Amino acid sequence: MSSSESGFPIEYQGFKMLITLVEPQRLHPHEEIIPPNLDKLKASIWRDGFQASPIIVDQETLVVLDGMHRLATLKDIGCRFILSCLVDYYDPRISVETWCRGLRDRGVDPLALVEDAGYPTHPSGDRWGESLMLATPEGWHRIGGELGVEEAFRALVALEEEFKGKGFAIKHISEAQVEEGLASGTLEAALVPPRVGKEQVVSYALEGRLFPPKSTRHVLPARPIDVNIPLKDLMAPGISLGEAVDKLVGALSGLDVEERPPGATYHGRVYSEALIRFKEA
């Protein structure tokens, strides 16, 4: 871990994490937020009175890998510190996948809709890569020719609106769920964004450039949950960051840690990662 940070270290099968507090102005998000989601999350956090799970942050650059909406919400309500889990982003066990847009059938040919929106399509033998794709049970199609990454994501946002306008139900799903949904017939099609490399995530964030919401899906060996730090400790007027971190470490030291293997369900979502759950001793 970075020598400049202190906190509560945890480890899962050699993968090291540091739970700590970071001042929000030092953090660099890499994706935009969805305003309606922000409103719902703010209401939920105020109701609960705590930040349940830390955001995931690169230990060297303080680029936020996961938790853009939590960061924006906590900043908005006046938190001086953000509960964060610092990781070595360049650990090869951390992968960057895409959040795909699963499309449910509404009686409209998705391939024709894409082309009618002004984006030519081309059959492709490739699947996951640098291009925006439309995946259907009949095959995969590259959208818009050789689009650059920024152009591809702009096209993705525009096409999401086109599909919504035609009454399609759109759901953010993993790459594995695309394959499963097309094979089982539960999906009519899926919009598959280009994959983004770690270097690009970091460079965009440090330059203040943001990808659209749900552009990347960071998969870790494990992530902490149920840390449950009260908002009053995150707002904490009149104490230093060091004092706040010391209080955090003291609180976590009194809790038990439970490991849940990959495939566990938490709040209705099945996680492909192991979960490190904090609970009362």
Side-chain angles (χ1 to χ4, degrees):
M1 292 295 165
S2 172
S3 60
S4 63
E5 305 293 345
S6 60
F8 188 84
I10 56 175
E11 186 172 331
Y12 176 79
Q13 297 183 357
F15 179 69
K16 296 180 179 180
M17 297 161 275
L18 185 72
I19 300 178
T20 190
L21 300 175
V22 182
E23 294 154 320
Q25 64 270 22
R26 298 174 60 209
L27 294 164
H28 305 281
H30 78 275
E31 289 180 345
E32 298 169 344
I33 59 170
I34 303 171
N37 290 8
L38 193 67
D39 294 337
K40 293 177 184 177
L41 182 59
K42 185 185 296 185
S44 174
I45 288 178
W46 271 124
R47 182 180 64 249
D48 295 340
F50 53 77
Q51 181 184 347
S53 299
I55 65 174
I56 308 298
V57 177
D58 173 36
Q59 66 189 24
E60 293 299 330
T61 62
L62 297 184
V63 167
V64 179
L65 310 178
D66 183 68
M68 257 55 66
H69 287 83
R70 276 169 286 164
L71 171 60
T73 296
L74 294 164
K75 286 176 65 175
D76 192 52
I77 64 179
C79 289
R80 297 179 59 225
F81 313 118
I82 308 296
L83 179 65
S84 304
C85 175
L86 304 188
V87 298
D88 176 6
Y89 190 24
Y90 289 96
D91 186 315
R93 290 169 290 184
I94 298 178
S95 62
V96 189
E97 298 184 2
T98 61
W99 278 114
C100 306
R101 278 58 170 168
L103 306 171
R104 299 297 299 273
D105 185 7
R106 288 297 180 271
V108 178
D109 179 5
L111 191 60
L113 190 154
V114 169
E115 293 182 341
D116 288 346
Y119 296 96
T121 63
H122 310 274
S124 175
D126 297 328
R127 295 193 172 192
W128 319 106
E130 298 179 356
S131 300
L132 176 61
M133 307 286 281
L134 179 71
T136 70
E138 293 73 35
W140 288 56
H141 301 264
R142 189 174 73 252
I143 296 173
E146 299 296 335
L147 298 178
V149 170
E150 291 191 40
E151 292 176 299
F153 277 106
R154 282 197 295 269
L156 172 67
V157 171
L159 287 170
E160 279 191 89
E161 293 304 312
E162 290 285 341
F163 277 101
K164 287 178 184 176
K166 294 296 183 181
F168 276 78
I170 300 179
K171 184 177 181 180
H172 294 109
I173 59 176
S174 68
E175 295 176 2
Q177 288 172 315
V178 171
E179 303 277 14
E180 294 165 3
L182 294 177
S184 66
T186 57
L187 285 181
E188 171 75 4
L191 289 168
V192 179
R195 280 182 173 170
V196 177
K198 293 180 180 181
E199 295 82 1
Q200 199 161 27
V201 169
V202 170
S203 65
Y204 268 51
L206 295 182
E207 293 168 10
R209 301 160 69 189
L210 300 177
F211 290 100
K214 292 289 187 181
S215 294
T216 63
R217 177 175 180 262
H218 285 89
V219 182
L220 288 68
R223 65 174 64 219
I225 60 171
D226 288 347
V227 183
N228 298 347
I229 300 303
L231 291 180
K232 63 181 179 62
D233 292 341
L234 300 177
M235 294 176 174
I239 70 169
S240 69
L241 175 62
E243 291 170 326
V245 171
D246 287 344
K247 184 175 181 180
L248 169 71
V249 171
L252 297 186
S253 298
L255 300 177
D256 283 343
V257 176
E258 172 190 80
E259 292 184 2
R260 295 185 179 182
T265 299
Y266 177 69
H267 286 182
R269 173 180 164 187
V270 178
Y271 280 80
S272 59
E273 307 151 317
L275 300 178
I276 310 299
R277 179 173 179 259
F278 286 79
K279 62 180 185 177
E280 294 293 332

